[in-house]
């Protein structure tokens, strides 16, 4: 009887231990799930190759940091109101952090303030002047980049002649910083160059840039140069220039990618593109967000663990790297995105 009792008691003890172990395992799994933080990154226009490249960086960062789940979304067109609504929807999902590439800082301000009131960390990119944020991440100093683009344009124009400038949106912070710095630099260093017209707004759309370039070529038959800001500007400008047979008489520079403007670089319709790798920018955004979620911060001289962001400068919650790249037909083969 004693042995039978002991056996039954032993089985019961094993069962209870098993149940306890299962409960503990489930608890640990739940804890791990609870510990995982969610970062949602809201870009400008869904499906654009620029943002597709950023998503590669986000996915790589998430794979290397299992404590954070990352997803990216964008809107169907470059509209600040649509972007604000998308952010509203994401706030309702109770994410822990938001990465935002603002279309219109003024339009987004109320919804970003709402996110921060809900305890969501907010890291912007290309949003240096966004009033409400924890940090903004820039690949470089925007004024320096604008002057750099103008120097490339001016050198190829021989320092004289008419030129036009494009921005993706008139509300886009970084595009306007580039263009404003470029124009100021031109006036100081290249007085024989002349800006024609106002800033041309492409709505981040190559077809719009193409159409406006056609109009400029008619209105200013002696125009020699174009500077684009959106990744699609140089594409639309270059197509219009090539169609008019002016690739040997005009200069086109701007921010773009080889995957977008490569064929136009080959024909000479676009002379030079500059960019920062959106993949690395995505990683930098994620690195800053994860630091904030871990109760840390970013200070001057810090290494974000991402190429081009190894010794950042930080001022007024704006983080700047040194990450621009220049590409012509001669070195475009080095970049496959």
């Amino acid at each position: 009887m004693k042995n039978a009792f002991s056996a039954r008691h032993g089985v019961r003890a094993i069962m209870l231990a098993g149940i306890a172990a299962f409960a503990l395992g489930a608890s640990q799994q739940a804890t791990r799930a609870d510990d995982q933080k969610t970062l949602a990154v809201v870009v400008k226009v869904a499906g654009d190759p620029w943002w597709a490249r950023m998503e590669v960086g986000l996915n790589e960062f998430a794979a290397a940091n299992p404590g954070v789940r990352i997803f990216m979304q964008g809107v169907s067109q470059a509209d600040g109101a649509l972007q604000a609504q998308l952010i509203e929807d994401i706030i309702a999902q109770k994410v822990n952090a938001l990465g935002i590439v603002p279309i219109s800082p003024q339009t987004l301000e109320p919804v970003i303030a709402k996110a921060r009131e809900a305890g969501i960390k907010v890291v912007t990119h290309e949003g240096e002047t966004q009033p409400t944020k924890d940090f903004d991440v820039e690949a470089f100093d925007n004024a320096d980049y604008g002057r750099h683009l103008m120097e490339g344009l001016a050198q190829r124009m021989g320092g004289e002649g008419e030129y036009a400038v494009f921005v993706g949106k008139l509300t886009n912070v970084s595009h306007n910083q580039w263009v404003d710095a470029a124009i100021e630099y031109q006036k100081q260093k290249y007085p024989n160059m002349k800006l024609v017209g106002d800033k041309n707004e492409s709505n981040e759309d190559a077809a719009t840039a193409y159409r406006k370039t056609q109009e400029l070529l008619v209105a200013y038959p002696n125009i020699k140069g174009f500077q684009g800001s959106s990744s699609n500007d140089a594409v639309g400008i270059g197509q219009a220039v090539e169609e008019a047979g002016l690739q040997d008489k005009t200069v086109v520079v701007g921010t773009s990618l080889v995957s977008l403007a490569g064929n136009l670089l080959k024909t000479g319709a676009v002379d030079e593109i500059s960019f920062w790798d959106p993949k690395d920018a995505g990683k930098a955004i994620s690195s800053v967000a994860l630091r904030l979620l871990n109760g840390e911060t970013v200070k001057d001289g810090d290494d974000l663990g991402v190429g081009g962001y190894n010794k950042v400068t930080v001022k007024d919650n704006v983080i700047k790297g040194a990450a621009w790249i220049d590409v012509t037909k001669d070195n475009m083969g080095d970049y496959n995105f």
Side-chain angles (χ1 to χ4, degrees), residues 138-141 307-312 320-324:
E138 299 293 326
F140 37 69
D141 181 86
Y309 303 85
N310 301 117
K311 191 176 181 181
V312 298
K320 296 179 181 179
W324 73 57

Side-chain angles (χ1 to χ4, degrees), residues 43-54:
V43 297
K44 294 177 183 177
V45 182
D48 187 289
W50 184 275
W51 307 120
R53 176 68 176 175
M54 176 174 279

Side-chain angles (χ1 to χ4, degrees), residues 3 20 25 104 130-131 222 240 291 298:
N3 289 340
S104 171
Q130 185 75 49
N222 295 319
R291 286 190 181 207
V298 182

Side-chain angles (χ1 to χ4, degrees), residues 123-190:
V123 180
T124 58
H125 175 56
E126 297 185 49
E128 185 173 347
T129 62
Q130 185 75 49
T132 302
K133 58 184 179 289
D134 288 286
F135 279 106
D136 175 70
V137 178
E138 299 293 326
F140 37 69
D141 181 86
N142 282 313
D144 285 348
Y145 184 64
R147 289 188 283 268
H148 174 73
L149 290 175
M150 177 53 68
E151 183 64 29
L153 181 68
Q155 288 288 333
R156 288 175 170 80
M157 288 177 59
E160 60 182 17
E162 298 175 337
Y163 73 96
V165 296
F166 281 70
V167 294
K169 296 286 287 187
L170 292 173
T171 56
N172 185 295
V173 176
S174 57
H175 291 188
N176 283 278
Q177 288 177 323
W178 303 341
V179 164
D180 289 344
I183 295 169
E184 181 181 2
Y185 181 76
Q186 170 266 306
K187 290 178 178 177
Q188 292 174 354
K189 189 170 180 180
Y190 296 102

